[in-house]
mmCIF file with all atom_site columns, all heavy atoms in Angstrom:
data_model
loop_
_atom_site.group_PDB
_atom_site.id
_atom_site.type_symbol
_atom_site.label_atom_id
_atom_site.label_alt_id
_atom_site.label_comp_id
_atom_site.label_asym_id
_atom_site.label_entity_id
_atom_site.label_seq_id
_atom_site.pdbx_PDB_ins_code
_atom_site.Cartn_x
_atom_site.Cartn_y
_atom_site.Cartn_z
_atom_site.occupancy
_atom_site.B_iso_or_equiv
_atom_site.pdbx_formal_charge
_atom_site.auth_seq_id
_atom_site.auth_comp_id
_atom_site.auth_asym_id
_atom_site.auth_atom_id
_atom_site.pdbx_PDB_model_num
ATOM 1  N N   . SER U 1 212 ? -229.723 51.741 -180.923 1.00 0.00 ? 212 SER U N   1
ATOM 2  C CA  . SER U 1 212 ? -229.000 51.105 -179.742 1.00 0.00 ? 212 SER U CA  1
ATOM 3  C C   . SER U 1 212 ? -229.248 49.639 -179.767 1.00 0.00 ? 212 SER U C   1
ATOM 4  O O   . SER U 1 212 ? -230.286 49.139 -180.154 1.00 0.00 ? 212 SER U O   1
ATOM 5  C CB  . SER U 1 212 ? -229.534 51.743 -178.406 1.00 0.00 ? 212 SER U CB  1
ATOM 6  O OG  . SER U 1 212 ? -228.924 51.066 -177.413 1.00 0.00 ? 212 SER U OG  1
ATOM 7  N N   . ASP U 1 213 ? -228.161 48.909 -179.323 1.00 0.00 ? 213 ASP U N   1
ATOM 8  C CA  . ASP U 1 213 ? -228.333 47.489 -179.175 1.00 0.00 ? 213 ASP U CA  1
ATOM 9  C C   . ASP U 1 213 ? -228.727 47.081 -177.748 1.00 0.00 ? 213 ASP U C   1
ATOM 10 O O   . ASP U 1 213 ? -228.758 45.897 -177.403 1.00 0.00 ? 213 ASP U O   1
ATOM 11 C CB  . ASP U 1 213 ? -226.983 46.778 -179.485 1.00 0.00 ? 213 ASP U CB  1
ATOM 12 C CG  . ASP U 1 213 ? -225.848 47.270 -178.628 1.00 0.00 ? 213 ASP U CG  1
ATOM 13 O OD1 . ASP U 1 213 ? -226.071 48.195 -177.821 1.00 0.00 ? 213 ASP U OD1 1
ATOM 14 O OD2 . ASP U 1 213 ? -224.769 46.632 -178.673 1.00 0.00 ? 213 ASP U OD2 1
ATOM 15 N N   . LYS U 1 214 ? -229.141 48.051 -176.928 1.00 0.00 ? 214 LYS U N   1
ATOM 16 C CA  . LYS U 1 214 ? -229.542 47.730 -175.593 1.00 0.00 ? 214 LYS U CA  1
ATOM 17 C C   . LYS U 1 214 ? -231.022 48.204 -175.414 1.00 0.00 ? 214 LYS U C   1
ATOM 18 O O   . LYS U 1 214 ? -231.487 49.052 -176.118 1.00 0.00 ? 214 LYS U O   1
ATOM 19 C CB  . LYS U 1 214 ? -228.651 48.539 -174.572 1.00 0.00 ? 214 LYS U CB  1
ATOM 20 C CG  . LYS U 1 214 ? -227.249 48.138 -174.529 1.00 0.00 ? 214 LYS U CG  1
ATOM 21 C CD  . LYS U 1 214 ? -226.501 48.866 -173.455 1.00 0.00 ? 214 LYS U CD  1
ATOM 22 C CE  . LYS U 1 214 ? -225.034 48.460 -173.577 1.00 0.00 ? 214 LYS U CE  1
ATOM 23 N NZ  . LYS U 1 214 ? -224.241 49.368 -172.633 1.00 0.00 ? 214 LYS U NZ  1
ATOM 24 N N   . SER U 1 215 ? -231.686 47.552 -174.473 1.00 0.00 ? 215 SER U N   1
ATOM 25 C CA  . SER U 1 215 ? -233.113 47.884 -174.209 1.00 0.00 ? 215 SER U CA  1
ATOM 26 C C   . SER U 1 215 ? -233.138 49.139 -173.254 1.00 0.00 ? 215 SER U C   1
ATOM 27 O O   . SER U 1 215 ? -232.093 49.446 -172.612 1.00 0.00 ? 215 SER U O   1
ATOM 28 C CB  . SER U 1 215 ? -233.723 46.678 -173.513 1.00 0.00 ? 215 SER U CB  1
ATOM 29 O OG  . SER U 1 215 ? -233.258 46.533 -172.226 1.00 0.00 ? 215 SER U OG  1
ATOM 30 N N   . LEU U 1 216 ? -234.217 49.735 -173.191 1.00 0.00 ? 216 LEU U N   1
ATOM 31 C CA  . LEU U 1 216 ? -234.423 50.859 -172.275 1.00 0.00 ? 216 LEU U CA  1
ATOM 32 C C   . LEU U 1 216 ? -234.041 50.435 -170.893 1.00 0.00 ? 216 LEU U C   1
ATOM 33 O O   . LEU U 1 216 ? -233.376 51.270 -170.144 1.00 0.00 ? 216 LEU U O   1
ATOM 34 C CB  . LEU U 1 216 ? -235.858 51.447 -172.392 1.00 0.00 ? 216 LEU U CB  1
ATOM 35 C CG  . LEU U 1 216 ? -236.171 52.527 -171.455 1.00 0.00 ? 216 LEU U CG  1
ATOM 36 C CD1 . LEU U 1 216 ? -235.455 53.783 -171.793 1.00 0.00 ? 216 LEU U CD1 1
ATOM 37 C CD2 . LEU U 1 216 ? -237.748 52.874 -171.547 1.00 0.00 ? 216 LEU U CD2 1
ATOM 38 N N   . ILE U 1 217 ? -234.456 49.281 -170.401 1.00 0.00 ? 217 ILE U N   1
ATOM 39 C CA  . ILE U 1 217 ? -234.175 48.889 -169.039 1.00 0.00 ? 217 ILE U CA  1
ATOM 40 C C   . ILE U 1 217 ? -232.721 48.780 -168.850 1.00 0.00 ? 217 ILE U C   1
ATOM 41 O O   . ILE U 1 217 ? -232.123 49.157 -167.844 1.00 0.00 ? 217 ILE U O   1
ATOM 42 C CB  . ILE U 1 217 ? -234.913 47.498 -168.766 1.00 0.00 ? 217 ILE U CB  1
ATOM 43 C CG1 . ILE U 1 217 ? -236.398 47.772 -168.728 1.00 0.00 ? 217 ILE U CG1 1
ATOM 44 C CG2 . ILE U 1 217 ? -234.439 46.955 -167.453 1.00 0.00 ? 217 ILE U CG2 1
ATOM 45 C CD1 . ILE U 1 217 ? -237.204 46.498 -168.726 1.00 0.00 ? 217 ILE U CD1 1
ATOM 46 N N   . GLU U 1 218 ? -231.978 48.148 -169.843 1.00 0.00 ? 218 GLU U N   1
ATOM 47 C CA  . GLU U 1 218 ? -230.498 48.017 -169.758 1.00 0.00 ? 218 GLU U CA  1
ATOM 48 C C   . GLU U 1 218 ? -229.887 49.269 -169.696 1.00 0.00 ? 218 GLU U C   1
ATOM 49 O O   . GLU U 1 218 ? -228.855 49.486 -168.902 1.00 0.00 ? 218 GLU U O   1
ATOM 50 C CB  . GLU U 1 218 ? -230.050 47.131 -170.962 1.00 0.00 ? 218 GLU U CB  1
ATOM 51 C CG  . GLU U 1 218 ? -230.406 45.690 -170.817 1.00 0.00 ? 218 GLU U CG  1
ATOM 52 C CD  . GLU U 1 218 ? -230.026 44.972 -172.194 1.00 0.00 ? 218 GLU U CD  1
ATOM 53 O OE1 . GLU U 1 218 ? -230.161 45.599 -173.195 1.00 0.00 ? 218 GLU U OE1 1
ATOM 54 O OE2 . GLU U 1 218 ? -229.668 43.759 -172.047 1.00 0.00 ? 218 GLU U OE2 1
#
Side-chain angles (χ1 to χ4, degrees):
S212 175
D213 58 352
K214 295 178 181 177
S215 70
L216 177 63
I217 293 170
E218 289 173 324

